[in-house]
Amino acid sequence: MRRNALPTSALVALALAALGVWAWTASAQAAEIKVLSAGAMKGIVTDLAETFRQETGHTVTITAGTAGELRQKVEAGEPADVVIVTDTVLEQLAGQRLVVADTRADLARTAIGVAVRAGAPLPDISTPEAFKRTVLAAKSIVYTDPARGATSGIHFASVLQRLGIADAVKDKTVLWPGGYAAEAIVKGQAELCVHQISEILPVKGVTLVGPLPRDLQKITTYSAALSTRTATPTAARDFIAFVTRPSFKPRFAAAGLDYRE
């Protein structure tokens, strides 16, 4: 052994100490990012959050709800770092200075679609008149409750009024409180579901028939922005930049979040 060489035990101790310092530093730098996400974006945001954690060490906690519910949460002062809602709601929150307007990033476009149980005959929804006949012929229909601020629910309620069949289908309608309305089909509570495509595709046991006819359609853009109440502004900005990477576009498309007419 060389005269100035450290014994093996001392080297091990130094290595362990260095490892401990590294672990403490990594732990100190890791952040928990609180995200309020519209239900239509929940699936993709959850998937990307895990990829983000693996890459950065930052964890992401997601609270999902309708755009209306999330607007109320932000207005009530609920802690959040990133808000992902419809562009309309985000503009409202920016006007109230509850999100940082210049951090806005448009993430996705989705449309409203129609679903039936997997294996069931696909109904005709190719035109407004065909869709009207399909809705009238269905034994039961489900869509999200407009009273809860659901984007697709509010729009579809207006479609039923426009088609003149709101009263005719009222007694066979299931108003879904939140989450994936297509689950009502799986549970045998409804025959036909009208919901945003990105909230139909994740539900096993149902088939997407297609989007609503163009004249009845509503295209929704979902955007992200930094909350003015964020406790982790740097990590939150990094998360917004992460989810907008062009390389993730195919994942958005597969999730029904890159709608093109």
Side-chain angles (χ1 to χ4, degrees):
M1 177 183 297
R2 289 180 298 171
R3 181 178 298 177
N4 295 327
L6 291 173
T8 301
S9 59
L11 291 173
V12 172
L14 285 173
L16 290 175
L19 182 61
V21 170
W22 176 85
W24 178 86
T25 302
S27 175
Q29 292 177 342
E32 179 185 2
I33 303 166
K34 297 180 179 179
V35 175
L36 298 180
S37 173
M41 295 291 292
K42 178 183 176 182
I44 189 70
V45 172
T46 300
D47 288 345
L48 292 180
E50 175 56 23
T51 307
F52 181 71
R53 183 195 65 77
Q54 293 171 1
E55 183 173 308
T56 67
H58 300 318
T59 58
V60 179
T61 302
I62 301 167
T63 299
T66 68
E69 290 172 338
L70 297 183
R71 183 186 65 226
Q72 292 174 0
K73 287 180 182 292
V74 175
E75 291 173 342
E78 180 161 328
D81 299 300
V82 176
V83 181
I84 302 175
V85 287
T86 62
D87 55 352
T88 301
V89 170
L90 203 64
E91 288 169 3
Q92 294 170 349
L93 294 175
Q96 297 172 275
R97 297 184 179 180
L98 296 174
V99 298
V100 183
D102 64 5
T103 65
R104 170 179 165 176
D106 292 341
L107 303 180
R109 295 174 79 247
T110 190
I112 297 174
V114 180
V116 295
R117 179 181 289 276
L122 301 185
D124 184 3
I125 61 169
S126 58
T127 65
E129 280 302 315
F131 176 70
K132 178 179 178 179
R133 291 192 296 270
T134 289
V135 172
L136 289 173
K139 295 179 181 178
S140 52
I141 62 173
V142 61
Y143 62 96
T144 51
D145 190 349
R148 298 181 70 93
T151 301
S152 64
I154 293 171
H155 177 71
F156 186 57
S158 71
V159 167
L160 293 175
Q161 291 286 349
R162 176 179 165 186
L163 294 176
I165 58 174
D167 290 337
V169 302
K170 183 177 181 180
D171 291 341
K172 63 177 183 179
T173 295
V174 177
L175 295 178
W176 205 247
Y180 298 143
E183 290 178 352
I185 293 178
V186 180
K187 296 177 180 179
Q189 299 173 341
E191 182 179 55
L192 195 73
C193 173
V194 179
H195 205 184
Q196 286 176 320
I197 291 174
S198 63
E199 296 186 81
I200 290 174
L201 293 179
V203 181
K204 296 180 180 179
V206 303
T207 296
L208 173 67
V209 180
L212 288 178
R214 178 178 295 183
D215 291 346
L216 304 179
Q217 184 60 264
K218 177 179 177 61
I219 309 300
T220 303
T221 298
Y222 285 93
S223 308
L226 192 72
S227 168
T228 55
R229 299 188 181 95
T230 178
T232 59
T234 300
R237 286 175 183 269
D238 289 345
F239 182 68
I240 294 175
F242 180 83
V243 298
T244 57
R245 287 181 181 177
S247 59
F248 292 141
K249 284 295 185 182
R251 291 170 70 168
F252 276 86
L257 289 163
D258 188 23
Y259 185 75
R260 301 172 187 273
E261 294 180 296

